[in-house]
Amino acid sequence: MQESKEQRVHHVFEKIYKNYDQMNSVISFQQHKKWRNTTMKQMNVQPGSSALDLCCGTADWTIALAWAAGPKGRVIGLDFSKNMLKVGREKVQSLKLNQVELIHGNAMELPFEDNSFDYVTIGFGLRNVPDYLKVLSEMNRVLRPGGMAVCLETSQPTMPVFKQAYFFYFKYMMPLFGKLFAKSYEEYSWLQESARDFPGMKELAEMFRKAGFTGVAYKPHTGGVAATHIGYKGNKE
């Protein structure tokens, strides 16, 4: 019997959790940290605010949000891989970030009431869910009016030669790095598939609008290999 996308993704992350942080640095040549820092500057998270980080993995973005929101803030990280959350909890505890809670859950069915958060983020996780629009709609639902939704994700470069090089790298080199560094060729083959099939920047911006967001804008990173999309709940432009 063929695995569903959800089952396959769950298997991937339950297996690669030990090497996940190291592999992110290897695969992106450390760029993912730079992209996240740029995105955080753009967000300008206010002290004392509440944030939800979906598909939080090992909680790096959750932790960045917690530093920005400060001790009076409230930050929740949600992921469906218990092994990834275990790594995240160790980081959070070592940093003594009492304003952070990491919970096991599904991004397509968020266990929160409407209008609960000032910010909702998803970093390199949207491409792994079975229904992109459902997750974006859930992000909109749990945001407070005027709140900000942010997605940092791999994208589709548009420059001809660069585009070909990018897809070659993703298809052949990334699984090879997975084999060399994490003994996980099949799992990293899946990750390149999910990146290859993910919508381009304009398509994702349109999906944000379809999910009910206003003031939608996006910023490409490193020639378009990744992009930050931002949208607001309500009429904030």
Side-chain angles (χ1 to χ4, degrees):
M1 196 173 86
Q2 197 173 16
E3 281 184 307
S4 70
K5 181 174 180 180
E6 204 164 13
Q7 288 168 328
R8 195 173 174 197
V9 171
H10 187 261
H11 165 78
V12 166
F13 286 101
E14 287 290 82
K15 183 166 179 192
I16 66 174
Y17 71 100
K18 285 182 184 171
N19 301 98
Y20 182 74
D21 289 339
Q22 178 201 9
M23 284 304 301
N24 271 351
S25 295
V26 169
I27 288 165
S28 76
F29 302 100
Q30 295 280 359
Q31 291 300 296
H32 71 292
K33 293 177 184 175
K34 187 177 160 188
W35 301 334
R36 188 173 64 239
N37 290 341
T38 302
T39 300
M40 284 294 291
K41 280 178 191 164
Q42 203 176 347
M43 288 174 68
N44 190 25
V45 173
Q46 296 303 300
S49 54
S50 59
L52 170 64
D53 184 27
L54 298 181
C55 304
C56 68
T58 59
D60 281 353
W61 201 355
T62 316
I63 288 164
L65 289 163
W67 288 124
K72 292 185 178 174
R74 171 177 167 252
V75 180
I76 294 177
L78 177 142
D79 201 278
F80 75 162
S81 166
K82 289 182 177 176
N83 283 340
M84 297 283 273
L85 286 169
K86 186 177 154 194
V87 177
R89 285 197 183 101
E90 286 167 7
K91 291 182 191 176
V92 168
Q93 284 163 8
S94 69
L95 293 167
K96 296 182 171 59
L97 293 170
N98 298 323
Q99 70 272 46
V100 173
E101 184 185 359
L102 298 182
I103 64 173
H104 185 245
N106 188 338
M108 297 204 301
E109 293 174 25
L110 297 178
F112 308 108
E113 292 183 7
D114 298 1
N115 312 315
S116 295
F117 299 94
D118 300 310
Y119 304 89
V120 181
T121 61
I122 185 164
F124 304 106
L126 190 60
R127 71 178 187 270
N128 293 319
V129 303
D131 188 335
Y132 309 137
L133 189 58
K134 177 86 167 88
V135 171
L136 291 173
S137 299
E138 277 290 272
M139 289 168 76
N140 187 288
R141 179 182 69 77
V142 301
L143 266 179
R144 290 182 180 135
M148 182 190 288
V150 187
C151 173
L152 172 58
E153 187 54 273
T154 55
S155 193
Q156 311 291 351
T158 51
M159 289 162 53
V161 177
F162 186 69
K163 183 178 179 179
Q164 270 77 32
Y166 168 80
F167 284 115
F168 176 85
Y169 171 72
F170 252 78
K171 186 171 183 180
Y172 298 106
M173 300 308 294
M174 192 167 119
L176 188 61
F177 282 160
K179 186 177 182 181
L180 290 173
F181 293 98
K183 308 291 185 284
S184 300
Y185 184 85
E186 281 179 30
E187 286 71 25
Y188 282 90
S189 293
W190 156 254
L191 292 181
Q192 66 85 14
E193 279 176 46
S194 65
R196 183 195 63 206
D197 297 337
F198 194 68
M201 283 169 251
K202 287 182 182 173
E203 291 88 348
L204 186 56
E206 194 49 49
M207 222 174 266
F208 260 71
R209 293 184 193 101
K210 205 170 175 182
F213 293 108
T214 61
V216 178
Y218 58 87
K219 176 186 173 63
H221 303 289
T222 318
V225 301
T228 297
H229 283 69
I230 290 179
Y232 298 91
K233 180 169 179 172
N235 299 312
K236 185 167 180 179
E237 293 291 339

